[in-house]
């Protein structure tokens, strides 16, 4: 089913994001995680597209396995990194012929070791070009990324929002946010996006913290901030992985509950290929169903 239709028909929509593993061990972890998370009945699962090149072919393979063998709705991520236009078109045709109806169209980040974004000589420079290519030649439900704390390469919020609007005008029918830890950033962003004329669902992306060093590295790369009070609590537990994971689950549960109670259309969980945190958070919000208190959808 097309994700745009799922978002039209039901609220809230819960989705899980995975990355293709690089090793056999990683593959086993992913398979174990998915076998468990399947019982949590996500509305769809998405599979990222690696910048390094090694895991790219696996995105299509794993997305196909999720859709065809596990019977869960799936979305393949695709970025402009390292491929000419023709190859991107071939990948899209492969995804389509595997019966997958959903693509998250991205620019991608510079491959490891490079700091500046440089498009492939025969490729695309921005996600909006990929969205146009997809919309011209295929019949996918297209999603795109957006950034409550402004994309690190963008000169300011106004231009970042105008590019986000271009993505929607080009054919993106829903947006998923970069991870964030302060819900006011999300609600302010949604307000500004609506004012800028962006009227598609904006789904918050939430990453449950399970490891202090890992979350500092990730936020450092993507430009998200960790609120001071949360950072202090994390640092105080840095030597106790279990306590960090417990705090991570508690914090993300509060975040999700508040987002849903104030009308967010769903939650996209960045699972980092692990199940316990996402399972606990989802079970808690489903049991407490905070969305029934929402006055309107944002
Ligand atoms: P763009 O929309 O192309 O924007 C990139 C920058 O260029 C921004 O600063 C924007 O303001 C600016 N810009 C956009 N359009 C124009 C224009 N027409 N002219 C001038 N400037 C413009 N990365 C991966 O490699 N693989 C993944 O699977 C992946 N999944 C992700 C999933 C989600 C939900 C999110 C939020 C991010 C994901 N990323 C992934 C990371 C993403 O690729 C990076 O954040 C990347 O730096 C920006 O991608 P984008 O699609 O937003 O790029």
């Amino acid at each position: 089913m097309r994700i745009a239709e799922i978002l039209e028909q039901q609220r809230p929509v819960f989705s899980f994001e995975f990355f293709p593993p690089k090793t056999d061990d990683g593959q086993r972890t992913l398979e174990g995680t998915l076998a468990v998370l399947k019982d949590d009945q996500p509305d769809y699962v998405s599979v990222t597209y690696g910048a390094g090149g090694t895991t790219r072919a696996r995105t299509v393979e794993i997305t196909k396995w999720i859709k065809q063998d596990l019977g869960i709705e799936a979305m393949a991520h695709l970025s402009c990194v390292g491929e000419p236009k023709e190859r991107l078109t071939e990948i899209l045709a492969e995804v389509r012929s595997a019966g997958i109806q959903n693509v998250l169209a991205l620019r991608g980040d510079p491959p490891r070791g490079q700091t500046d974004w440089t498009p492939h000589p025969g490729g695309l420079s921005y996600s909006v070009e990929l969205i146009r290519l997809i919309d011209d030649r295929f019949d996918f439900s297209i999603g795109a990324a957006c950034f409550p704390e402004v994309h690190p390469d963008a000169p300011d919020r106004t231009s970042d929002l105008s590019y986000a609007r271009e993505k929607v005008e080009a054919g993106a029918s829903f947006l998923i946010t970069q991870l964030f830890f302060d819900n006011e950033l999300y609600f302010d962003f949604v307000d500004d996006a609506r004012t800028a004329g962006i009227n598609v669902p904006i789904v918050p992306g939430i990453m449950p913290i399970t490891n202090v060093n890992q979350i500092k590295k990730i936020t450092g790369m993507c430009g998200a901030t960790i609120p001071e009070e949360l950072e202090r609590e994390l640092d105080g537990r840095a030597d106790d992985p279990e306590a960090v994971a417990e705090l991570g689950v508690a914090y993300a549960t509060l975040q999700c509950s508040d987002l849903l109670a104030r009308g967010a259309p769903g939650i996209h969980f960045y699972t980092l290929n692990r199940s316990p945190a996402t399972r606990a958070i989802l079970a808690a919000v489903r049991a407490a169903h905070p969305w029934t208190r929402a006055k309107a959808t944002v």
Side-chain angles (χ1 to χ4, degrees), residues 103-245:
V103 171
L104 190 70
L106 302 146
R107 184 197 73 176
D109 283 320
R112 195 165 292 168
Q114 290 175 30
T115 44
D116 294 330
W117 161 251
T118 324
H120 185 281
L124 306 173
S125 298
Y126 297 108
S127 67
V128 67
E129 296 168 24
L130 181 59
I131 295 167
R132 287 194 189 111
L133 184 153
I134 299 172
D135 194 58
D136 280 353
R137 302 191 195 178
F138 297 91
D139 180 28
F140 283 108
S141 182
I142 309 170
C146 65
F147 300 84
E149 296 184 70
V150 183
H151 185 269
D153 298 350
D156 53 49
R157 167 90 143 214
T158 308
S159 37
D160 209 25
L161 275 170
S162 78
Y163 296 131
R165 192 183 60 234
E166 269 185 33
K167 299 193 219 185
V168 172
E169 286 166 354
S173 48
F174 59 99
L175 299 175
I176 303 179
T177 74
Q178 185 56 277
L179 61 99
F180 59 90
F181 295 101
D182 175 353
N183 288 354
E184 298 319 311
L185 293 168
Y186 168 81
F187 290 110
D188 287 351
F189 176 78
V190 173
D191 277 352
D192 289 354
R194 301 303 180 224
T195 305
I198 297 169
N199 289 313
V200 296
I202 300 176
V203 182
I206 295 296
M207 182 176 285
I209 298 173
T210 54
N211 177 303
V212 179
N213 289 337
Q214 180 188 47
I215 201 64
K216 287 191 177 174
K217 193 170 159 205
I218 292 173
T219 51
M221 286 186 319
C222 74
T225 51
I226 304 177
E228 229 173 82
E229 300 87 335
L230 176 59
E231 188 165 7
R232 197 168 46 241
E233 295 298 337
L234 287 169
D235 287 341
R237 290 163 174 78
D239 296 333
D240 183 350
E242 215 173 295
V244 169

Side-chain angles (χ1 to χ4, degrees), residues 24-46:
D24 290 346
D25 263 2
Q27 181 68 23
R28 277 191 289 278
T29 304
L30 175 63
E31 285 172 11
T33 299
L34 271 166
V36 172
L37 283 177
K38 183 178 187 293
D39 293 342
D40 293 306
Q41 302 181 324
D43 294 296
Y44 70 92
V45 159
S46 83

